[in-house]
Amino acid sequence: MHKGIAGRLLEISSKIEAACHLAQRPDEEIKLVAVSKLQSIDVINEAYALGINNFGENYAQELAEKFSACPRDIIWHFIGPIQSNKVSLIAKHANWVHSIDREKIARKLNDALESEGKKIHALVQVNIDKEESKSGILPEDVVDFTNQLIAHYPNLILEGLMFMPNINASKKAKIDTMNKIKGLHKSLLSELPSCTHLSLGTSSDFEESILTGSTILRIGESLLGKRS
Ligand SMILES: *Cc1c(COP(=O)(O)O)cnc(C)c1O
């Protein structure tokens, strides 16, 4: 199993293409984010050389270190839980944040961005299964929450929704969940037409996620290899 990043990228790209074809969607609609948490700078540089330009990180400090060491035109996505004492690192280094899940974090991030003189692309993390252990905004609160963000936090450019699937769920349960997200996204779009993005797919389910409307795929180990 030593295909390397280039071989895996080819395989994933052709699966994305096939899923887009099946879903009758143009593949330009799909943004592939290589999840590089706990991967080395060398791995990121190798993927970058193959044309990957979007990388996802979960830890603010690690993001800051990689930001300084990697090519300047990389688009960094912060996809992990946001701690309030880390918002300024995220404001400084990320271009996208996928995991806005409470107003306090939105406010602090907005303030930190104000000091940076910067705006960030933001997704609201949804807890569609209402799992107590998982962070995210409950589906019935999503429209209110997004309206709050738009009204009060202008440095967050609201782009849509993010969801973290339960990796232990059955395939059928995952598809049910994805369909719920798709419905929720539709109702959000009818109020806020600029919220076009849906960050749904991960390594194990990205093809299904394309069929249910995902525009951003977060793919880690199946592209970059095992995390150390
Ligand atoms: C780690 C992570 C991923 C990628 O997981 P893989 O199994 O390596 O593809 C995607 N999304 C989030 C939020 C993550 O934390």
Side-chain angles (χ1 to χ4, degrees):
M1 282 292 289
H2 282 286
K3 272 179 276 176
I5 298 173
R8 290 189 294 258
L9 178 59
L10 266 179
E11 235 170 55
I12 290 170
S13 303
S14 70
K15 284 181 181 169
I16 291 174
E17 214 173 283
C20 282
H21 185 73
L22 202 61
Q24 300 186 294
R25 299 177 56 193
D27 16 344
E28 306 86 70
E29 251 178 54
I30 307 291
K31 200 191 287 294
L32 173 62
V33 175
V35 176
S36 49
K37 63 177 174 220
L38 308 177
Q39 301 278 8
S40 69
I41 305 283
D42 286 349
V43 163
I44 293 176
N45 284 331
E46 188 183 341
Y48 176 82
L50 293 166
I52 296 175
N53 203 30
N54 289 273
F55 290 88
E57 290 287 337
N58 289 56
Y59 310 102
Q61 190 60 48
E62 187 179 340
L63 166 65
E65 284 159 22
K66 287 174 171 170
F67 176 94
S68 306
C70 292
R72 284 290 148 181
D73 62 339
I74 284 179
I75 297 165
W76 294 101
H77 297 247
F78 191 84
I79 63 174
I82 305 171
Q83 292 170 279
S84 54
N85 61 344
K86 296 285 162 56
V87 290
S88 59
L89 280 176
I90 296 168
K92 215 176 246 154
H93 303 108
N95 306 94
W96 283 72
V97 55
H98 291 219
S99 39
I100 301 288
D101 64 351
R102 42 197 204 285
E103 175 148 16
K104 181 179 133 190
I105 290 297
R107 172 165 41 82
K108 293 199 162 185
L109 190 57
N110 188 70
D111 291 348
L113 287 160
E114 192 69 38
S115 325
E116 293 290 324
K118 193 182 149 188
K119 291 184 194 288
I120 205 165
H121 300 282
L123 300 169
V124 168
Q125 185 168 351
V126 185
N127 181 354
I128 201 107
D129 296 329
K130 307 193 181 182
E131 285 179 37
E132 282 174 29
S133 58
K134 250 197 318 195
S135 42
I137 301 293
L138 295 176
E140 58 269 34
D141 298 332
V142 160
V143 170
D144 272 357
F145 185 74
T146 45
N147 275 318
Q148 287 288 332
L149 296 187
I150 289 170
H152 301 296
Y153 308 117
N155 299 320
L156 307 180
I157 307 165
L158 213 57
E159 301 278 6
L161 303 176
M162 178 270 209
F163 177 71
M164 186 67 200
N166 177 353
I167 48 169
N168 298 316
S170 67
K171 197 159 190 148
K172 176 170 183 316
K174 279 186 188 168
I175 291 173
D176 284 353
T177 303
M178 284 190 190
N179 281 322
K180 278 192 214 160
I181 293 267
K182 186 185 185 179
L184 181 64
H185 188 222
K186 243 192 190 143
S187 57
L188 178 67
L189 269 174
S190 69
E191 294 212 19
L192 302 169
S194 64
C195 287
T196 54
H197 282 286
L198 200 49
S199 168
L200 253 191
T202 60
S203 288
S204 61
D205 55 18
F206 69 88
E207 290 162 278
E208 289 90 346
S209 84
I210 289 173
L211 289 167
T212 45
S214 186
T215 61
I216 304 179
L217 312 178
R218 308 181 309 262
I219 300 187
E221 290 192 320
S222 62
L223 174 59
L224 300 180
K226 274 244 165 296
R227 286 185 276 276
S228 41

